[in-house]
Amino acid sequence: MTTTALHHTPAPAPEQPLPLRERLRATARHHGPVLAFYGALKLLGFCSFMYLLDSAGDFRTKNPRFGGGAHAWDVLATWDGWWYQQIALHGYDPKLVHVPGATGLITLEGNSAAFFPLYPALMRLTSAVTGLGPYGAGLLVSILASFVAALGIYAVAEWFGGRRAGLAAAGLWAVWPGSGVEWAVYSDSLYVALAAWACYAVMTRRWLTAGVLTFAAGLNRPTAAALIAALAVAALFALRDRRDGVLRPLLAMALAPLGLLGYLGWVGHRMGDYGGYFKLQSGAWAHSFDYGKQTFDVLTSVPVGHFAYLFAWPFADVIGVGVVLLAFALLPLLLRLRPPAVLVIHTVLTLALVLGSQQIFANVSRYLLPCFPLFIPLAVAMRRVSLRVQCAVLGLAALASGSYAGYALFELGVP
């Protein structure tokens, strides 16, 4: 009788995790070109912006709170930047104070409670750690956040069109209209960083990460309402399809709105009026939801050279109209790519919130920066051209952005 030997193939040994040094090198190889590309374009636009400020010199005659200062770079901390510095230094004292005898649009004194707390809190933390003043701390937070945002936008675009599309999208973030606030004492870069990575976390089904990032975004800007709704719809789709269980999507849905609702509730409680935040925005800044009436007025006035509408800033408003038309042109191209629901709803609701509000229309270009998914169709198209051509096109746009994305916003409008 013969016996047959049984031969067992040994199980493969588990892969050993790479040493820390190797992981850092791999990360640098993957993300380094994105950061370098964005940083080079942004620096080019920033220098162009500073040159225009210095050569025109108008900032020297303006109030340091409203687009003025002793040096060109002081402009970066004016307008909203002044309020953020005050919060970082002194905190909040929410109240509704009526202007004596006022009967027009502005009936309340401005109050820092109109500005959400995450960005000034990070300014204060950075100041404590580095010893920088509020200006330097705010600028540092914004610059670092802008690079994080570039990586998030890259990750979302790479999901659609690969590395070349991601690189183009990061470059578009550097030169897009409104990008002048990315390196300023403004909260926009921080919000876009949180929104981009929250959307990417939803796309890759990291629900708790998405919930935490959306919670933080709600502590940074009120338009986080669009991001909260987008996450909720995506989570409901996941629950319907039973892709990721029940607990994680539900926890993300529950966590996401707490930052926004918590801050609005705290402000209302301190004011003794739970609608106080919205009354402050309306009474102190004439900023309210008007279902698009003012936007329609601007869109029908600017093309015929009429500037009799509310808060007219002609040069900046022409750019704003161009941005709105560009957004409407890019939206159907985005939809053709069949993007995940989180990107569609976040983009459409952000457009609705911004364009449906009465506000200084010159701000539209920066208010629409969170609509970064609109970059994706252009980025996917740009992957077909060589990197040299991409650099040339975006480099020229970066030089021009010193005017249309920086100077027009801070000096020819009210950012």
Side-chain angles (χ1 to χ4, degrees):
M1 187 172 66
T2 61
T3 60
T4 302
L6 299 177
H7 298 282
H8 298 280
T9 301
E15 291 186 10
Q16 296 297 321
L18 291 173
L20 178 61
R21 182 178 296 178
E22 291 300 319
R23 280 182 286 166
L24 291 175
R25 285 177 179 171
T27 300
R29 282 195 300 270
H30 187 72
H31 295 307
V34 182
L35 297 176
F37 191 49
Y38 168 77
L41 291 172
K42 194 65 210 166
L43 184 61
L44 193 59
F46 183 80
C47 290
S48 172
F49 178 26
M50 291 296 105
Y51 172 77
L52 291 174
L53 281 171
D54 189 64
S55 61
D58 295 343
F59 69 92
R60 297 185 180 93
T61 63
K62 294 185 177 182
N63 188 307
R65 277 187 60 183
F66 306 117
H71 308 94
W73 53 84
D74 291 335
V75 172
L76 302 173
T78 58
W79 303 107
D80 287 4
W82 182 87
W83 284 103
Y84 283 123
Q85 290 180 88
Q86 298 308 302
I87 298 167
L89 289 170
H90 309 297
Y92 289 103
D93 184 18
K95 58 181 65 174
L96 297 173
V97 179
H98 289 269
V99 177
T103 57
L105 280 173
I106 306 301
T107 59
L108 297 174
E109 293 182 4
N111 185 278
S112 58
F115 299 86
F116 276 52
L118 181 61
Y119 178 65
L122 290 177
M123 288 172 61
R124 191 165 187 165
L125 176 62
T126 302
S127 183
V129 171
T130 63
L132 293 170
Y135 173 92
L139 203 58
L140 180 59
V141 171
S142 292
I143 291 172
L144 292 177
S146 75
F147 281 95
V148 176
L151 287 176
I153 293 168
Y154 165 84
V156 172
E158 185 190 34
W159 190 88
F160 282 88
R163 185 165 176 79
R164 290 286 295 277
L167 197 64
L172 288 168
W173 160 242
V175 304
W176 205 254
S179 59
V181 296
E182 290 171 16
W183 287 9
V185 186
Y186 273 64
S187 65
D188 299 74
S189 288
L190 180 59
Y191 179 75
V192 174
L194 293 168
W197 283 108
C199 288
Y200 184 72
V202 171
M203 291 163 60
T204 53
R205 298 157 64 180
R206 296 179 174 91
W207 290 104
L208 294 182
T209 300
V212 170
L213 291 172
T214 305
F215 166 85
L219 290 171
N220 195 55
R221 291 195 69 83
T223 44
L227 183 63
I228 293 165
L231 180 147
V233 171
L236 288 173
F237 284 163
L239 290 171
R240 181 198 64 184
D241 299 337
R242 300 182 180 179
R243 290 198 308 262
D244 302 307
V246 173
L247 184 59
R248 288 184 298 134
L250 283 179
L251 282 175
M253 288 176 63
L255 182 61
L258 296 183
L260 176 63
L261 295 178
Y263 180 67
L264 294 178
W266 177 79
V267 169
H269 177 73
R270 289 285 302 271
M271 288 180 174
D273 182 342
Y274 282 98
Y277 175 83
F278 301 101
K279 291 180 180 178
L280 179 63
Q281 285 279 27
S282 176
W285 279 273
H287 191 160
S288 60
F289 195 78
D290 68 349
Y291 301 93
K293 181 180 180 299
Q294 192 203 2
T295 298
F296 182 77
D297 288 345
V298 176
L299 292 178
T300 54
S301 298
V302 169
V304 294
H306 294 174
F307 298 97
Y309 52 84
L310 188 65
F311 303 134
W313 298 88
F315 189 87
D317 291 341
V318 169
I319 294 171
V321 169
V323 172
V324 172
L325 296 178
L326 180 60
F328 287 152
L330 291 175
L331 184 58
L333 299 179
L334 173 65
L335 296 178
R336 283 191 63 191
L337 296 174
R338 297 183 179 276
V342 65
L343 296 181
V344 175
I345 294 177
H346 174 247
T347 302
V348 170
L349 288 185
T350 300
L351 281 167
L353 288 173
V354 172
L355 301 183
S357 296
Q358 174 184 283
Q359 59 197 339
I360 297 174
F361 188 81
N363 285 340
V364 159
S365 61
R366 80 173 180 92
Y367 288 157
L368 291 182
L369 281 174
C371 294
F372 63 88
L374 295 175
F375 303 172
I376 293 171
L378 291 178
V380 170
M382 289 179 70
R383 68 181 174 170
R384 298 169 187 165
V385 303
S386 68
L387 184 59
R388 182 176 297 177
V389 173
Q390 272 195 34
C391 290
V393 170
L394 291 174
L396 287 172
L399 276 174
S401 72
S403 173
Y404 70 74
Y407 192 86
L409 200 61
F410 279 88
E411 291 293 281
L412 303 178
V414 178

